[in-house]
Amino acid sequence: MNILKVDDLKKTYVSRLGTNRVDALKGVFFSVEEGEYVAIMGESGSGKTTLLNILAALDKPTGGSVLLKGKNVVDIKESDMAVFRRDNLGYVFQDFNLIDSFSIRDNIFLPLVLKGEKHKEMNAKLEPIAKELGISDLLDKYPYEVSGGQKQRAAVARAIITKPQLLLADEPTGALDSKSTDELLEVFENINKTGQTILMVTHSTKAASHAKRVLFIKDGIVFHELYRGEKSFEEMYKAISDTLTLLSQGGK
Amino acid sequence: MSAGLFTRLAVDGIKKNKKLYIPYIISLAGMVAISYVVYYLVESPAISRMRGATVLYAIMGMGKLVMVVFSCLFLLYTNSFLAKRRNFEFALYNILGMNKKNVVRILLGETLIVGTLGIVFGFAAGILLSKLFELILIKMCGYPADYSFYLDTKSMVMIVIFYAVIMLILYIFSAAKVIINKPIELLRSTNAGEKEPKTNVLFAIGGIVILGVAYWYAISIQDAVESFNIFFIAVIAVIVATYMLFQAGSVFICKVLKKNKKYYYNPRHFVPVSGMIYRMKRNGAGLATICILATMVMVMLGATSSLYIGMNSSIDKMYPTDVYISANSIDSYESWAALDSSELYDKIHSNFEDVKPEDVLFERYEDFIALANEDGVTFLREDQNLMPADVGNYSMVEIAELDDYNKAYNANLSLADDEIFFLPSTAKFEKEVFDIDGLKYKVVGRDESPFYGTDIVRSYRAVVKDIKKLNDYAMSIKAQVTLSAGWGFNTELPDEQIIEKANKLWSDIGMYRVISKAEEKLEFNDMYASLLLLGVFLSIVFMGACAFIIYFKQLTEGYEDASSYKTMRSVGMTVKEIKAGINSQTLITFFSPLALAAVHLAFSAPIVRKLLFLLGLNDLKVFIMSYLICFAAFALFYLLVYKKTVKSYVEIVSQ
């Protein structure tokens, strides 16, 4: 069943004086099945972050529709967006976006507190997730006291604690060293195994090779698509690299 | 690299961060301006001529102290915030190949530019403000304008030195940070949070104890004169205790709130409480300063306005008769004893036709400055001078003769030779025997009704049967005593005529001073009006300072918090929820100082009342009303600042 359906999505940026128009998205079509793990790849400026921001209801498209479980995200009123995000989406940022004034525990609790959940329920939800992500011992520390990899795992915990329909990740490994990257990708895979749908934007071939499907965006449209199928990581890695080489040579 | 480059980099740095540097320079300038105004007013000849300047000096002395503490803390606070931002750039310069010596030179350039701008603008504003104030004063009260272009260079030098030292200390702090830390650490320091402070129980308890003692002194003090001395000590104690309480107390309260999971994990409290814990230390100092400034403003306004409003009734009490003739320092007992002559009554009658001799209230007394001790007083000997060390023990003593007293007040008191009866005085004597330097009098009674007068020092007023005995005794031991007398009477004439005729009478009599209540009233009006004006002016200055700290605090925190709020929005916090959180956070941080200030105000009321009492204000109702109105006015002002601040904070964080 489709959990997400993106239909002819367009986004045009107009400079303040209206003289300069940039088409970031020219008509993007794709859909995501429930329980899928999709990576979106593309070079800087290809429009992938714009796409993710629209999916996360952080930005409005110029045209087209985004159906999340049949509900058009584009039509949601500005004032209801935050609540919609809170209830349906989890978001992992490149630079973690943990709040310095909260301990790791409170950072993870934030969306639940906003939902008005009881402290006991929150704790019950946190425990297995913290164990799974290996951050049980860090919960009472503050973001500036832990490493980048630990921060990102905390951010993942915050994103999945609400059991969102869709977990969106924007270059989640972008600010991590290779060891932390491996750990985080393993975390993503494990989460996906539990049935969590993941949509990740990245330009790291390694990160993308862990996904079940990779979409390539170039010049504002979905250019190509790769399914992992029965491929191993190494085979997938090679297939992605080849596609990227082809793309950069401008071939079709 | 050339010096020009450093200057350019320093100027660029300031320009690039002008959103932060401009408020910083303004706050420095504001503090210099306020310091100058306060110093100037203390030194200004216009103020020292005012009656009741002493109370003002007391308040402004306290103001000077608060300004010093406050300037240091506030600049440290704002600077730490600025430094965090600037460290990023410095680290970048460092990484791009500048050595640390160069970076420190750029920092020096910045400090010099900021310091110079702040001090120059500050003096400009300060001179303008103080001149403006003096002009209003001159216009309102008709003081001569001969000193209107008086520049207080001594104060200026002191202020420049003071702020230069603060800037130097801040520079050393920042430079040391650049030198000690690795560039990469500086790069990161922009994001590093403050460590969660430990709860300092000793500090909290210490604050409560000091405050309790100060409060207890303030309410238990009975003696009006003593209250004058206690006042300063109490003020300093309250200031110290307030800082301690806000530092330790706010940490403690926030931690208690955080421990209560049900309270803490509530959408309405979650963000505010953690935000407060995060910068509790800085909050503590800022809030304590706001609290003290608020208290000062309210005490100052309450005191000056009640003096002004209560003026008429106090003058009536201080001058029971319309006209009073006062004869001081009469050289011998014989001429003093013969004072009550008909010649004087004729002169009175020739000017005030409706006054008959029997309507004139006549009083004679012996007066001297003495040193008080447990059993009574001792005279100053002829070869003895008043020593500054003894100032706390000086007493004014006035002793009247029984016959005069009975006649003047229609009393029929009777006393034996060695008996004494106390009249209303500023000092209380509780023992049974009053010892005047060896001459012992048995205390047979006291008139406990309140004293009306303008005595700042301790005073004793009493009646004995025979002044001659006392005077002879004083002469025999070569004591410094004088004999005085006074005549008072009422008249039906209108005020202008009273003033005119009293002056005529004065020139007729020549040697004795003639005082009319009508003229005193006019003079008092000028004095208290200017006192009130000064109170209002200083209040505006301090309220401005108050508003500025609040605004700057919110502004800087807004920039700091902007990214947190962005995250919260992307996690799913609605703008409405953000606003509610901000409201409750600012509500607590805003109104806790006001609440403590109200408590300070309540406990200061008895001691301030006693001080005002020395200035002749006795009307309790006027005093309480003035205090309440001042509190209401200040709370209203505070509310407006709160609204405005919350608005700009929300604007910053929701960009």
Side-chain angles (χ1 to χ4, degrees):
Chain A
M1 188 200 146
N2 277 348
I3 192 164
L4 180 74
K5 192 168 181 346
V6 176
D7 208 13
D8 197 18
L9 199 63
K10 290 188 178 112
K11 176 73 182 180
T12 305
Y13 289 105
V14 180
S15 69
R16 218 178 332 166
L17 294 171
T19 48
N20 231 342
R21 296 169 65 90
V22 179
D23 293 320
L25 300 176
K26 291 176 182 165
V28 172
F29 299 84
F30 70 93
S31 56
V32 177
E33 301 283 308
E34 190 157 1
E36 246 195 321
Y37 181 1
V38 177
I40 296 176
M41 287 200 83
E43 290 175 349
S44 306
S46 59
K48 52 189 197 304
T49 299
T50 307
L51 175 63
L52 199 70
N53 282 343
I54 293 171
L55 297 184
L58 290 168
D59 201 352
K60 288 261 179 201
T62 330
S65 65
V66 176
L67 298 177
L68 185 71
K69 278 221 155 168
K71 188 172 165 60
N72 195 348
V73 175
V74 178
D75 292 340
I76 297 169
K77 270 191 298 177
E78 183 82 35
S79 54
D80 298 331
M81 269 196 182
V83 177
F84 173 78
R85 268 201 298 277
R86 180 206 292 169
D87 291 343
N88 298 292
L89 299 173
Y91 204 125
V92 179
F93 304 83
Q94 177 174 2
D95 48 2
F96 326 129
N97 279 359
L98 293 178
I99 295 167
D100 285 331
S101 57
F102 284 132
S103 64
I104 298 290
R105 181 195 306 277
D106 291 348
N107 261 294
I108 300 173
F109 277 165
L110 183 61
L112 296 182
V113 172
L114 292 176
K115 277 182 153 181
E117 288 197 13
K118 293 229 163 56
H119 178 239
K120 254 191 190 155
E121 297 167 22
M122 294 197 287
N123 255 344
K125 283 184 182 172
L126 175 63
E127 227 170 88
I129 290 174
K131 211 173 157 195
E132 167 75 34
L133 297 182
I135 50 171
S136 301
D137 298 336
L138 306 173
L139 290 175
D140 289 317
K141 295 210 155 131
Y142 281 81
Y144 54 88
E145 296 173 311
V146 302
S147 75
Q150 290 166 333
K151 275 190 218 177
Q152 195 59 300
R153 273 180 278 153
V156 172
R158 180 177 68 189
I160 62 172
I161 199 164
T162 55
K163 299 213 182 313
Q165 307 278 356
L166 186 61
L167 176 65
L168 298 169
D170 182 11
E171 300 278 11
T173 60
L176 300 182
D177 58 64
S178 72
K179 186 168 168 276
S180 304
T181 300
D182 289 341
E183 285 170 3
L184 188 77
L185 291 173
E186 204 187 310
V187 163
F188 270 50
E189 232 173 311
N190 292 337
I191 300 169
N192 179 239
K193 274 182 193 147
T194 65
Q196 175 68 58
T197 317
I198 301 175
L199 184 69
M200 171 170 72
V201 157
T202 183
H203 58 223
S204 151
T205 310
K206 188 179 184 182
S209 65
H210 283 248
K212 287 181 180 163
R213 180 157 61 111
V214 183
L215 298 173
F216 295 90
I217 286 196
K218 196 188 175 192
D219 301 331
I221 57 166
V222 177
F223 202 82
H224 187 63
E225 180 170 39
L226 263 183
Y227 280 88
R228 173 136 144 222
E230 297 302 311
K231 287 194 199 77
S232 68
F233 287 137
E234 288 74 23
E235 287 165 342
M236 187 67 179
Y237 190 96
K238 191 162 183 313
I240 296 170
S241 302
D242 292 345
T243 313
L244 288 176
T245 314
L246 202 68
L247 281 178
S248 64
Q249 283 164 354
K252 190 153 188 176
Chain B
M1 281 196 270
S2 68
L5 180 68
F6 291 123
T7 319
R8 222 176 57 226
L9 283 172
V11 172
D12 275 356
I14 294 172
K15 273 190 188 159
K16 256 186 291 176
N17 292 296
K18 58 171 181 273
K19 257 186 185 163
L20 293 167
Y21 272 101
I22 288 175
Y24 184 59
I25 292 170
I26 293 177
S27 62
L28 178 63
M31 250 154 341
V32 171
I34 294 168
S35 305
Y36 178 75
V37 169
V38 171
Y39 271 87
Y40 179 86
L41 292 181
V42 171
E43 299 286 327
S44 164
I47 308 299
S48 62
R49 286 181 203 179
M50 284 184 192
R51 187 192 185 89
T54 37
V55 170
L56 252 126
Y57 283 148
I59 292 168
M60 282 194 293
M62 165 171 122
K64 261 159 95 172
L65 184 78
V66 173
M67 279 308 296
V68 169
V69 176
F70 165 62
S71 310
C72 292
L73 288 174
F74 187 59
L75 287 175
L76 260 173
Y77 164 53
T78 45
N79 189 66
S80 75
F81 182 76
L82 264 179
K84 248 188 184 178
R85 296 242 154 175
R86 294 291 282 136
N87 279 340
F88 182 78
E89 260 162 67
F90 290 149
L92 216 57
Y93 289 149
N94 210 186
I95 288 162
L96 291 177
M98 245 186 230
N99 63 32
K100 286 184 172 173
K101 226 168 104 192
N102 295 339
V103 172
V104 167
R105 277 184 69 179
I106 297 174
L107 192 64
L108 181 67
E110 274 190 23
T111 312
L112 283 176
I113 293 170
V114 168
T116 312
L117 283 177
I119 290 173
V120 168
F121 281 126
F123 276 129
I127 291 167
L128 220 67
L129 272 173
S130 54
K131 283 287 175 273
L132 183 76
F133 176 71
E134 233 176 37
L135 282 178
I136 297 172
L137 201 67
I138 287 163
K139 189 130 185 147
M140 271 188 65
C141 312
Y143 282 108
D146 55 341
Y147 40 76
S148 66
F149 285 101
Y150 161 78
L151 261 191
D152 190 358
T153 41
K154 200 184 101 200
S155 302
M156 285 173 86
V157 171
M158 276 181 65
I159 292 167
V160 168
I161 292 173
F162 175 66
Y163 284 99
V165 169
I166 293 186
M167 294 304 283
L168 183 71
I169 292 169
L170 293 179
Y171 169 67
I172 291 171
F173 272 169
S174 313
K177 205 161 186 186
V178 169
I179 291 167
I180 293 165
N181 287 332
K182 293 191 185 78
I184 200 72
E185 283 165 0
L186 287 181
L187 269 179
R188 281 191 193 135
S189 75
T190 316
N191 297 323
E194 248 179 274
K195 287 247 160 61
E196 185 174 330
K198 291 198 169 66
T199 320
N200 194 334
V201 181
L202 269 179
F203 231 60
I205 294 173
I208 292 170
V209 169
I210 293 175
L211 195 64
V213 170
Y215 278 173
W216 187 79
Y217 262 107
I219 54 169
S220 66
I221 202 95
Q222 290 302 326
D223 189 291
V225 177
E226 211 175 318
S227 68
F228 194 72
N229 302 323
I230 290 284
F231 190 62
F232 289 95
I233 303 165
V235 163
I236 291 167
V238 167
I239 291 176
V240 170
T242 306
Y243 275 103
M244 286 168 86
L245 271 183
F246 269 106
Q247 289 281 12
S250 60
V251 176
F252 182 70
I253 291 171
C254 285
K255 287 205 170 167
V256 168
L257 289 182
K258 196 178 173 181
K259 277 227 176 82
N260 183 345
K261 303 281 184 223
K262 215 174 153 193
Y263 179 90
Y264 179 54
Y265 289 113
N266 176 316
R268 293 184 49 189
H269 308 138
F270 190 52
V271 176
V273 172
S274 67
M276 279 189 290
I277 290 176
Y278 185 54
R279 45 173 150 253
M280 212 136 30
K281 261 193 192 151
R282 295 185 312 199
N283 264 341
L287 295 180
T289 310
I290 293 172
C291 174
I292 289 162
L293 287 177
T295 314
M296 278 169 55
V297 165
M298 289 188 281
V299 167
M300 203 149 52
L301 276 182
T304 49
S305 60
S306 59
L307 265 183
Y308 183 70
I309 299 164
M311 175 186 74
N312 280 326
S313 70
S314 25
I315 290 180
D316 282 339
K317 298 276 166 51
M318 271 155 73
Y319 298 93
T321 56
D322 288 341
V323 181
Y324 188 77
I325 303 165
S326 130
N328 291 321
S329 311
I330 294 153
D331 40 17
S332 73
Y333 178 78
E334 284 67 33
S335 45
W336 181 76
L339 265 179
D340 203 7
S341 67
S342 56
E343 195 192 341
L344 186 75
Y345 291 107
D346 291 344
K347 281 181 181 155
I348 293 172
H349 189 67
S350 68
N351 283 291
F352 295 93
E353 282 165 13
D354 61 335
V355 178
K356 296 185 200 74
E358 59 267 30
D359 298 332
V360 177
L361 217 85
F362 176 58
E363 56 184 15
R364 275 184 292 206
Y365 50 90
E366 169 133 14
D367 57 343
F368 49 89
I369 293 173
L371 288 169
N373 58 40
E374 269 181 34
D375 298 318
V377 292
T378 54
F379 294 116
L380 281 178
R381 300 301 195 271
E382 271 169 12
D383 55 353
Q384 207 177 346
N385 289 320
L386 292 174
M387 301 304 278
D390 292 330
V391 82
N393 292 326
Y394 289 152
S395 298
M396 282 289 310
V397 184
E398 261 183 40
I399 296 177
E401 205 161 45
L402 184 63
D403 285 349
D404 286 349
Y405 174 79
N406 279 338
K407 227 165 87 189
Y409 295 98
N410 271 331
N412 49 6
L413 188 66
S414 66
L415 293 171
D417 264 348
D418 60 345
E419 285 176 342
I420 193 165
F421 179 79
F422 276 104
L423 301 175
S425 321
T426 57
K428 284 212 163 39
F429 185 79
E430 306 283 359
K431 289 197 170 173
E432 288 307 304
V433 175
F434 190 63
D435 183 344
I436 304 179
D437 214 342
L439 206 58
K440 291 186 167 57
Y441 285 98
K442 222 171 99 202
V443 180
V444 293
R446 295 178 178 86
D447 182 347
E448 303 277 8
S449 54
F451 166 75
Y452 299 102
T454 54
D455 292 0
I456 289 296
V457 297
R458 192 194 303 268
S459 74
Y460 291 113
R461 276 152 225 274
V463 188
V464 296
K465 190 174 181 201
D466 187 10
I467 286 291
K468 188 163 191 311
K469 179 182 148 197
L470 179 66
N471 194 55
D472 288 349
Y473 178 72
M475 290 299 150
S476 72
I477 59 168
K478 294 197 182 310
Q480 296 185 27
V481 292
T482 58
L483 292 158
S484 307
W487 296 260
F489 55 86
N490 290 319
T491 165
E492 302 291 320
L493 296 173
D495 280 0
E496 302 93 72
Q497 283 192 42
I498 296 181
I499 295 173
E500 198 192 308
K501 299 212 167 181
N503 283 327
K504 172 86 185 345
L505 178 62
W506 194 353
S507 56
D508 285 354
I509 305 171
M511 50 203 297
Y512 310 143
R513 202 171 149 231
V514 180
I515 308 156
S516 66
K517 182 155 71 177
E519 191 168 359
E520 287 296 298
K521 232 175 202 172
L522 284 180
E523 237 171 75
F524 267 54
N525 186 37
D526 279 357
M527 286 160 189
Y528 287 161
S530 42
L531 208 59
L532 176 63
L533 194 68
L534 190 58
V536 169
F537 175 76
L538 284 177
S539 300
I540 290 171
V541 166
F542 285 130
M543 273 154 88
C546 225
F548 208 85
I549 313 172
I550 293 165
Y551 189 72
F552 195 85
K553 200 166 106 56
Q554 291 293 311
L555 193 78
T556 50
E557 285 174 11
Y559 287 123
E560 250 182 4
D561 293 349
S563 67
S564 292
Y565 279 104
K566 205 178 147 203
T567 305
M568 286 181 214
R569 280 216 308 266
S570 56
V571 169
M573 197 168 186
T574 62
V575 175
K576 218 170 124 191
E577 282 164 339
I578 289 175
K579 275 189 187 156
I582 292 170
N583 260 323
S584 92
Q585 185 176 354
T586 21
L587 200 74
I588 296 169
T589 43
F590 251 75
F591 287 94
S592 59
L594 189 65
L596 187 60
V599 178
H600 284 346
L601 192 67
F603 277 98
S604 77
I607 197 166
V608 172
R609 189 172 134 68
K610 289 199 178 69
L611 286 179
L612 294 180
F613 194 65
L614 294 176
L615 290 172
L617 177 86
N618 189 46
D619 199 330
L620 184 63
K621 223 170 93 189
V622 165
F623 177 71
I624 291 173
M625 281 309 289
S626 306
Y627 250 51
L628 286 179
I629 290 170
C630 287
F631 180 75
F634 186 82
L636 185 72
F637 159 80
Y638 203 71
L639 194 74
L640 290 176
V641 175
Y642 164 72
K643 291 245 169 191
K644 167 81 190 122
T645 306
V646 169
K647 210 176 138 227
S648 35
Y649 182 82
V650 169
E651 267 165 27
I652 291 169
V653 299
S654 55
Q655 260 166 18

